[in-house]
Amino acid sequence: MYIVIIGCDRVGSLVANRLSNEGHNVVVIDNDEASFENLSSEFSGFRILGDAGEVEILTQAKIEEAEAVFVTTRKDNLNLMIAQVARNIFDVPCVVARLFDPKREEIFSTFGIKTISPTRMAVEEFFKEIKG
Amino acid sequence: MKVIIIGGGKVVYFLTKTFLSKECQVTIINNNKDDCEWFAKRLKTTVIYGDGSDQKSQEDAAAGGADCLIAMTPADEDNLIACQVADRIFGVPRILALVNNPENVEIFKKLGIKLALSTVEVVSKIIEEKIEFEEITNLIPLAEGKINVTEVELTYKSPVLGTPLKDIDFPKGALLACVIRKDTPIIPRGFTILEEGDKLVLITMPDEYEKVLRLLTGEK
């Protein structure tokens, strides 16, 4: 599969490393060059330095050919915007965005974008633990 | 009219003042505490400290009863989400985004925000067209630049002075809507004769724009 990962912090880089290990074609985009240091030495995909909020950077990553896009920058709104551009303008079949603010998940579930909220997941995991 | 403005800086300040002078009710949403205090001390209007793209802040600003929302923060993603929340959750009838990256005008439109303007685009268009013709005193692009309304002042150099309008070979894509002579507007007829100092209000298609300006000003 051809997969574009936007944001190369801990989550983004772990996902990218694993996909690359599994033999997928991966492109990682981040605006901070230092973040690429999170990638493992075996990572065989491409790195693009730039702001994925600019369509030019997304086209550079050939996003229109991507089968899946994972948007995981540190800014929720930026993730939502990039995810919508990927889904609605470049017709990427599978787009997942990370959101820290779980309130925003509801609104954007109606936009055809899958969202993951680590905040909500942490809360749920905690309750699972204490209820044993 | 009830207007919500999301953003900060001098532009928001002056925009709010303009709206207030036109008897509009303005609510500002700003995510910087110091900015909020600055606004609150200087403007007789409601200032909400919060994230404008957050449903809660818009609720506090009574977005459900607003007539218009303007998103003009320095981050386009925040503007987009603020507009989408206003549209989908509160059904604000008129939503305007001022985008920073001119490319985002198209993107916003494709994502459902019909009215997105780029200051860079508007200003650069005005400068480009104005530099060529000094006589242009006003220029408004309408319908996304598909038509222009221009005000041109005729100098002694104009080759059309003294000619009745019916004898001037106007391009098809141009209309002389009004002649302003010494502050008095005149609706032009075929027999109207243009004079030096006349200000012409023109409606033109972009393709014919230069042609008609050259015809009227005599500039090459």
Side-chain angles (χ1 to χ4, degrees), chain A residues 38-53:
Chain A
N38 293 325
L39 294 167
S40 69
S41 50
E42 294 94 57
F43 177 76
S44 62
F46 286 97
R47 303 162 170 87
I48 294 177
L49 178 67
D51 179 358

Side-chain angles (χ1 to χ4, degrees), chain B residues 10-193:
Chain B
K10 285 273 164 66
V11 184
V12 170
Y13 171 74
F14 286 113
L15 196 60
T16 305
K17 270 182 79 163
T18 311
F19 278 131
L20 290 175
S21 73
K22 290 177 181 165
E23 312 278 307
C24 293
Q25 269 186 49
V26 184
T27 304
I28 299 173
I29 307 178
N30 185 297
N31 62 359
N32 180 300
K33 212 158 194 172
D34 296 337
D35 283 2
C36 286
E37 276 170 19
W38 192 89
F39 281 133
K41 278 179 193 155
R42 285 164 182 84
L43 294 164
K44 282 196 185 88
T45 197
T46 315
V47 182
I48 291 169
Y49 168 53
D51 174 355
S53 62
D54 200 50
Q55 191 176 335
K56 173 79 173 49
S57 310
Q58 291 198 16
E59 210 174 286
D60 291 346
D67 301 292
C68 174
L69 179 135
I70 306 169
M72 46 192 298
T73 77
D76 283 347
E77 62 268 20
D78 296 344
N79 293 331
L80 177 74
I81 307 305
C83 289
Q84 290 181 326
V85 167
D87 181 36
R88 306 225 171 181
I89 295 180
F90 297 102
V92 178
R94 298 179 120 207
I95 294 169
L96 167 71
L98 271 188
V99 302
N100 303 279
N101 177 354
E103 269 186 359
N104 281 338
V105 171
E106 270 312 298
I107 301 290
F108 274 47
K109 279 180 189 162
K110 283 181 183 159
L111 298 179
I113 306 306
K114 286 178 211 86
L115 200 51
L117 287 176
S118 147
T119 320
V120 175
E121 202 177 73
V122 173
V123 172
S124 69
K125 214 170 236 169
I126 291 174
I127 291 172
E128 253 171 55
E129 294 181 8
K130 219 170 172 171
I131 276 171
E132 266 191 90
F133 298 95
E134 283 176 9
E135 292 86 348
I136 302 173
T137 49
N138 218 336
L139 187 124
I140 313 163
L142 292 178
E144 292 153 32
K146 289 196 188 87
I147 199 145
N148 288 321
V149 180
T150 321
E151 195 184 309
V152 187
E153 191 173 332
L154 297 184
T155 66
Y156 69 95
K157 284 186 273 185
S158 165
V160 293
L161 301 180
T163 318
L165 285 181
K166 62 177 166 47
D167 297 332
I168 300 175
D169 188 20
F170 259 99
K172 279 210 171 68
L175 175 75
L176 173 54
C178 184
V179 178
I180 300 164
R181 184 168 295 163
K182 297 187 181 74
D183 295 328
T184 311
I186 304 168
I187 299 299
R189 306 279 175 216
F191 54 79
T192 307
I193 291 170

